[in-house]
Amino acid sequence: MIRPRAVVLGASAGAVQALSRILPALPRDYPLPVLVVVHVPPRRRNVLAPLFAAKCNLEVREPDDKEPIAPGTILFAPPDYHMLVETDRTVSLSVEGPVQFSRPSIDVLFESAADAYGSGLVAAVLTGANHDGAEGLRAVVEAGGTALVEAPASAAYPVMPRAALALVPGAESLSLNALARRLLDLAG
């Protein structure tokens, strides 16, 4: 297995609680970039980056378009923008139409990151009430990456994890605490 080079996370309903169990567990010297899509209503100021900046050991913020992706940072997709990873490992922000009724879309991030990082990508689908993330997780696996899913039984909203597991039955299904530990182990 190729050593992971990036982590992508996707969540919807229940995201703040789920991410609060994962992101603060990453230590200051965590060597991977972490890109996060949370479904946030358009035209609403995103409070996620400042909220998690106060809780986390890593730098947390929204990226600028064409910004290089740096290790040890957590980047949240801005409201109403798809966040993509270009093959040169920079961020691209797009206002193309919603995917799975969402912009930002988890599928868009996961699929573009799978193209950029291939088998060096770790992706996790967390709590949510729609099917966004399932197709993207399949793209990650097809590129040789590692697929993780929050265990539906412990998810605040299990629809999204169930959809991901239905499409990618070989994904590791983990509690939030186990998922945080797995991200640490994979980066080790």
Side-chain angles (χ1 to χ4, degrees):
M1 180 175 123
I2 288 183
R3 182 181 174 95
R5 295 188 297 261
V7 174
V8 289
L9 305 174
S12 189
V16 171
Q17 296 82 352
L19 291 169
S20 292
R21 302 272 293 280
I22 296 170
L23 297 178
L26 303 177
R28 186 172 311 282
D29 62 351
Y30 193 71
L32 306 177
V34 181
L35 291 86
V36 185
V37 164
V38 175
H39 297 152
V40 176
R43 293 174 296 285
R44 179 178 290 179
R45 195 171 75 79
N46 191 351
V47 298
L48 293 173
L51 173 73
F52 282 98
K55 295 180 178 198
C56 292
N57 300 303
L58 299 172
E59 179 185 0
V60 181
R61 59 189 168 73
E62 291 179 5
D64 293 320
D65 192 42
K66 307 304 179 213
E67 176 180 324
I69 296 170
T73 57
I74 299 171
L75 301 177
F76 275 90
D80 214 23
Y81 285 89
H82 292 306
M83 181 168 65
L84 297 89
V85 177
E86 298 294 337
T87 54
D88 65 357
R89 300 194 182 148
T90 58
V91 170
S92 177
L93 300 176
S94 164
V95 291
E96 288 186 24
V99 175
Q100 293 283 344
F101 309 103
S102 300
R103 186 176 63 211
S105 162
I106 298 164
D107 283 335
V108 168
L109 171 62
F110 283 20
E111 289 167 3
S112 65
D115 288 343
Y117 289 102
S119 59
L121 184 65
V122 178
V125 173
L126 308 175
T127 179
N130 68 14
H131 290 205
D132 191 19
E135 289 289 345
L137 196 66
R138 179 164 61 184
V140 170
V141 169
E142 288 173 353
T146 302
L148 310 174
V149 176
E150 180 180 356
S154 64
Y157 295 85
V159 174
M160 212 156 78
R162 280 192 192 123
L165 287 169
L167 209 54
V168 186
E172 296 176 58
S173 179
L174 303 164
S175 70
L176 291 172
N177 289 342
L179 204 148
R181 284 193 302 276
R182 187 75 172 113
L183 292 179
L184 293 172
D185 291 345
L186 287 165

